Amino acid sequence: MHEMSLCESILDILKDQAAKDSFTRVKRVAVDIGPLSCVEPEALKFGFDVVMRGSLADGAVLEISRPAAEALCLSCFKTVPVKARFDCCPECGSEALQVVSGEDLKIRELEVV
């Protein structure tokens, strides 16, 4: 379950940010998980609670958003929404799509004290 290692990376980011911005507690972490990222939201929630125990984010709420993925069609040059990596362009039917968003996991917002 690679979500546990992702949660450990999130904790490392929180620690680094706490050192820079002088906060001692994280109350909420809002993340965006792209639908093409291969990250399971429920596994991330479980891992988050386990990894954050005893840290500055112990008891923090994890809010997950799932923004739509987009790809650039290399045939009609339109940016289009996609649900899966090998979708066809909904505008022209081409299979020549280059994903431009939806593959990432990023921290969007923190609530700290």
Side-chain angles (χ1 to χ4, degrees):
M1 177 161 91
H2 75 285
E3 285 80 1
M4 291 295 276
S5 64
L6 292 172
C7 291
E8 291 170 355
S9 295
I10 290 171
L11 181 56
D12 289 341
I13 291 167
L14 297 177
K15 289 176 183 176
D16 290 346
Q17 202 61 46
K20 289 178 189 173
D21 295 337
S22 302
F23 58 84
T24 58
R25 189 155 183 317
V26 178
K27 295 174 68 175
R28 184 176 60 88
V29 179
V31 298
D32 291 337
I33 300 175
L36 307 178
S37 67
C38 299
V39 175
E40 290 294 327
E42 290 305 314
L44 190 72
K45 283 182 183 179
F46 173 79
F48 184 85
D49 290 339
V50 171
V51 170
M52 299 304 149
R53 279 190 202 134
S55 75
L56 75 161
D58 192 354
V61 174
L62 178 65
E63 290 180 4
I64 297 176
S65 295
R66 301 278 293 184
E70 293 183 322
L72 173 66
C73 177
L74 301 176
S75 295
C76 70
F77 300 104
K78 293 184 179 176
T79 301
V80 296
V82 292
K83 292 183 181 174
R85 192 166 300 284
F86 300 106
D87 282 355
C88 293
C89 176
E91 297 290 325
C92 71
S94 172
E95 295 178 355
L97 297 178
Q98 180 177 358
V99 174
V100 294
S101 70
E103 296 178 309
D104 48 358
L105 164 68
K106 61 183 164 185
I107 298 172
R108 180 176 26 84
E109 189 175 308
L110 298 176
E111 183 178 337
V112 300
V113 289

